[in-house]
Amino acid sequence: MTNSTLAPGAVERHLRARRDAGRGLLMPYVTGGITPGWTDYLRAFAAAGADAIEVGLPFSDPTLDGVTIQQAGDTALARGASTRRILADLSAMPDLGVPLVASTYYNLVLHDGPAAFCAALRGAGVDGLIVPDLPVHEADELMDVAAAAGIEPALLASPATPQPRLAEIACRSRGFVYAVSLMGTTGERAALAASAAELTERIRRVTDRPVLLGFGVSTPDQAREARRHADGVVVGAAVMRRVLDGAGPDDLRTFLAALRRALDQECDRPR
């Protein structure tokens, strides 16, 4: 088992510092290669107040993604997007001042081998990794090679995760714990799932690592509600639907700025 006493890496240090300063954390998502100038979205995200940015490496057979993220992945792949090309685009970018967290499926990690994959991420300036189809009991190899490369793999916890397993996930996760708000796929929803509050409370019992809540956070009101339970939010489908509908970087900056204000307003409330 990976040693839980390791000093936090760049992602966790960054998120902890902002959380401890009283800030609600915001991590928007973009599918790499979705448009010819897709890295302009990353600049817009940082300008809008993102605390970390998730970059999806598209895979042809996703299992946890809903319709919107699937469409985004298909669009990127049709444009010729690949892991190598996306990482080359990231390598050409200046430092945005916030951590980049790649997300993809384990098939792509295994394609060149976990060690080579993590080294490629690090070479492109990526700090963290999310692999949603990798269970904690099979994560030993990736956790070890990722640590050697300076990459922080964040593990997922769901409402159905038993408490002993939840404790192991929280212990072994790096950077943050990704709290999946409901049993289902990614996608916009009319309301935040009722299961979100209980899940985040159970995670907080076993770790002080930052907890980010994802799956269904789509509006400023939902972000504000999520912040009452978690340290911050991951916003993916709501971002990508706008991109698929033709929204440019300026449009996304406006949308994320509204989420930023909602998180800040919730943080300003007396506790």
Side-chain angles (χ1 to χ4, degrees):
M1 180 179 293
T2 302
N3 186 351
S4 62
T5 63
L6 289 172
V11 178
E12 187 164 333
R13 286 197 305 269
H14 183 88
L15 296 181
R16 276 182 181 272
R18 294 194 170 198
R19 178 198 66 184
D20 293 349
R23 181 181 175 95
L25 304 175
L26 173 62
M27 185 167 78
Y29 165 97
V30 66
T31 299
I34 184 69
T35 62
W38 72 273
T39 55
D40 289 341
Y41 288 108
L42 305 186
R43 295 180 175 88
F45 293 176
D51 299 290
I53 299 172
E54 181 181 356
V55 178
L57 305 177
F59 176 58
S60 58
D61 297 295
T63 55
L64 204 62
D65 295 326
V67 173
T68 301
I69 303 297
Q70 286 187 33
Q71 289 177 346
D74 289 344
T75 299
L77 291 171
R79 290 195 60 256
S82 68
T83 298
R84 286 185 175 85
R85 290 178 179 175
I86 291 168
L87 295 184
D89 288 343
L90 293 177
S91 297
M93 290 193 66
D95 183 6
L96 296 174
V98 298
L100 299 180
V101 179
S103 62
T104 195
Y105 290 88
Y106 204 45
N107 300 64
L108 293 187
V109 178
L110 291 173
H111 184 269
D112 293 322
F117 182 84
C118 289
L121 292 183
R122 198 72 199 99
V126 175
D127 303 288
L129 176 62
I130 301 167
V131 184
D133 61 339
L134 180 65
V136 64
H137 63 273
E138 296 180 7
D140 286 353
E141 181 181 10
L142 179 62
M143 299 300 287
D144 290 342
V145 300
I151 298 294
E152 294 166 79
L155 302 179
L156 280 69
S158 80
T161 305
Q163 194 65 21
R165 188 179 179 89
L166 189 68
E168 183 180 7
I169 288 170
C171 175
R172 303 196 65 192
S173 190
R174 293 291 175 262
F176 58 94
V177 179
Y178 193 138
V180 177
S181 68
L182 49 77
M183 298 303 296
T185 58
T186 63
E188 295 178 276
R189 289 173 172 84
L192 192 67
S195 52
E198 181 186 2
L199 172 61
T200 53
E201 193 276 331
R202 290 201 295 128
I203 296 172
R204 288 186 184 282
R205 289 183 212 158
V206 294
T207 187
D208 68 345
R209 187 163 280 124
V211 179
L212 299 184
L213 185 66
F215 284 48
V217 180
S218 311
T219 68
D221 284 344
Q222 290 171 5
R224 189 180 296 110
E225 181 182 354
R227 177 64 185 92
R228 294 170 191 162
H229 312 295
D231 295 308
V233 297
V234 183
V235 184
V239 172
M240 295 317 301
R241 178 179 57 79
R242 287 167 169 78
V243 174
L244 290 169
D245 289 345
D250 287 344
D251 301 307
L252 267 298
R253 184 166 57 244
T254 299
F255 171 61
L256 291 175
L259 295 176
R260 175 76 269 156
R261 287 192 297 272
L263 290 168
D264 291 341
Q265 288 164 5
E266 180 57 31
C267 289
D268 289 340
R269 292 189 181 191
R271 298 279 177 175

